[in-house]
């Protein structure tokens, strides 16, 4: 366990061990921080990500810095992060500081120039984000807001929104999603159990394709129990075989 402590030099094995332990440690603390920390970074998330990156990176490149101290500091920061996140759910003032309210950038086709300065974004950046949303005319925008996560949410005026089957009173098919049940010849047993089926049922569905399960590149199943199979192409024999 000497690779945890600061040393004048580390052997190759100790460097490998230090890197491996750091990688596993970061996986665990990221899991503890939750899904929010790996989505759009907000104020608190950005500070934590920036700090943790520096704390863990230095011991991985400098043998004179111990790994144990960095790991202890990381654990302390993660505990503080969890506490701050919990407090933001309990105290509205603390929540407004960490997650400020969205800022209105466009309302009823008019740019709110005073809010652009408040959000610290330029007109060029605003137009760039609108182009990403396929907006060619600002006057068609009913509302555009700057979200705390650093994205712009755009809502078109109702007369410019796409027509849906519900608007046309058209009959539609029920929504069904396809999920992979076989990938590279390996069956997803948890999905098979979830839909209440067994291997006999799956083999029955694949049998019409004359394909062995181990030759299946991908097989998907829908909620109405339809199975679509993608198999490996069969090798053609040489002429004269």
């Amino acid at each position: 366990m000497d690779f945890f402590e600061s040393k004048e030099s580390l052997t190759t094995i100790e460097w490998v061990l230090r890197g491996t332990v750091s990688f596993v440690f970061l996986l665990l603390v990221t899991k503890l921080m939750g899904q929010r920390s790996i989505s759009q970074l907000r104020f608190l998330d950005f500070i934590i990500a920036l700090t943790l990156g520096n704390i863990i990176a230095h011991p991985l490149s400098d043998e004179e810095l111990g790994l144990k101290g960095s790991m202890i500091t990381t654990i302390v920061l993660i505990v503080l992060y969890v506490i701050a996140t919990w407090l933001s759910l309990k105290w509205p003032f603390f929540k407004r500081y960490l997650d400020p309210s969205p800022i209105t950038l466009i309302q009823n086709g008019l740019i709110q120039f005073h809010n652009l300065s408040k959000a610290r974004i330029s007109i060029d950046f605003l137009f760039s984000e609108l182009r990403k949303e396929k907006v060619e005319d600002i006057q068609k925008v009913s509302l555009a807001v700057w979200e705390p996560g650093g994205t712009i949410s755009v809502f078109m005026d109702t007369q410019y929104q796409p027509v849906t089957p519900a608007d046309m009173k058209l009959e539609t098919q029920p929504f069904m999603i396809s999920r992979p049940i076989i990938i590279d010849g390996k069956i997803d047993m948890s999905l098979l159990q979830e839909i209440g089926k067994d291997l006999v049922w799956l083999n029955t569905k694949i049998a019409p394709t004359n394909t062995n399960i181990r030759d299946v590149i991908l097989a998907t199943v829908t909620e109405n129990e339809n199975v679509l199979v993608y198999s490996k192409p069969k090798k053609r024999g040489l002429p004269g075989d």
Side-chain angles (χ1 to χ4, degrees):
M1 302 293 285
D2 291 341
F3 65 89
F4 271 100
E5 308 295 337
S6 60
K7 299 176 64 175
E8 292 185 1
S9 63
L10 293 175
T11 65
T12 302
I13 296 299
E14 288 174 331
W15 276 118
V16 171
L17 290 174
R18 181 175 282 198
T20 303
V21 170
S22 300
F23 178 74
V24 174
F25 178 68
L26 284 176
L27 288 178
L28 294 175
V29 296
T30 304
K31 188 69 174 178
L32 179 63
M33 290 171 65
Q35 193 72 18
R36 163 180 156 165
S37 64
I38 57 176
S39 59
Q40 290 288 339
L41 292 182
R42 300 199 176 194
F43 179 68
L44 181 61
D45 306 322
F46 176 77
I47 291 176
I48 289 294
L50 189 65
T51 306
L52 293 186
N54 281 281
I55 290 175
I56 296 296
H58 289 300
L60 295 180
S61 58
D62 189 348
E63 60 267 23
E64 294 184 359
L65 296 176
L67 184 60
K68 182 170 66 175
S70 295
M71 294 179 69
I72 293 174
T73 305
T74 299
I75 292 174
V76 172
L77 288 175
I78 295 302
V79 171
L80 292 175
Y81 172 85
V82 173
I83 292 174
T85 303
W86 181 81
L87 289 177
S88 70
L89 299 176
K90 299 296 181 181
W91 293 353
F93 171 78
F94 199 57
K95 181 182 186 304
R96 285 195 297 271
Y97 180 75
L98 296 179
D99 293 323
S101 301
I103 300 174
T104 302
L105 302 180
I106 301 175
Q107 190 165 25
N108 297 326
L110 300 175
I111 298 177
Q112 309 299 303
F113 290 99
H114 62 286
N115 282 342
L116 289 181
S117 300
K118 195 175 184 181
R120 296 183 178 87
I121 63 174
S122 65
I123 294 179
D124 289 336
F125 180 80
L126 175 61
F127 273 82
S128 173
E129 293 300 304
L130 291 176
R131 287 194 295 271
K132 292 178 183 178
E133 298 293 331
K134 305 296 188 294
V135 177
E136 81 284 357
D137 187 355
I138 288 183
Q139 294 182 350
K140 296 180 181 179
V141 178
S142 177
L143 179 67
V145 295
W146 178 252
E147 303 288 357
T151 59
I152 296 180
S153 299
V154 180
F155 302 90
M156 303 298 290
D157 197 356
T158 53
Q159 60 181 323
Y160 300 111
Q161 293 178 3
V163 178
T164 65
D167 297 327
M168 302 294 293
K169 294 182 170 43
L170 298 176
E171 185 176 350
T172 58
Q173 297 295 326
F175 172 77
M176 286 184 294
I177 187 170
S178 297
R179 291 190 288 175
I181 195 167
I182 301 176
I183 299 178
D184 290 332
K186 297 180 180 178
I187 302 172
D188 187 343
M189 299 302 297
S190 60
L191 177 56
L192 196 61
Q193 293 176 359
E194 180 182 332
I195 62 178
K197 301 299 179 181
D198 54 20
L199 290 174
V200 176
W201 173 85
L202 185 59
N203 280 306
T204 303
K205 288 290 185 178
I206 296 177
T209 64
N210 294 321
T211 304
N212 193 297
I213 287 182
R214 64 173 177 269
D215 294 325
V216 175
I217 298 177
L218 172 67
T220 60
V221 61
T222 59
E223 294 177 5
N224 62 351
E225 301 178 3
N226 283 334
V227 176
L228 184 61
V229 178
Y230 303 85
S231 58
K232 298 177 183 177
K234 295 181 179 179
K235 295 181 179 180
R236 296 182 178 179
L238 296 174
D241 288 353

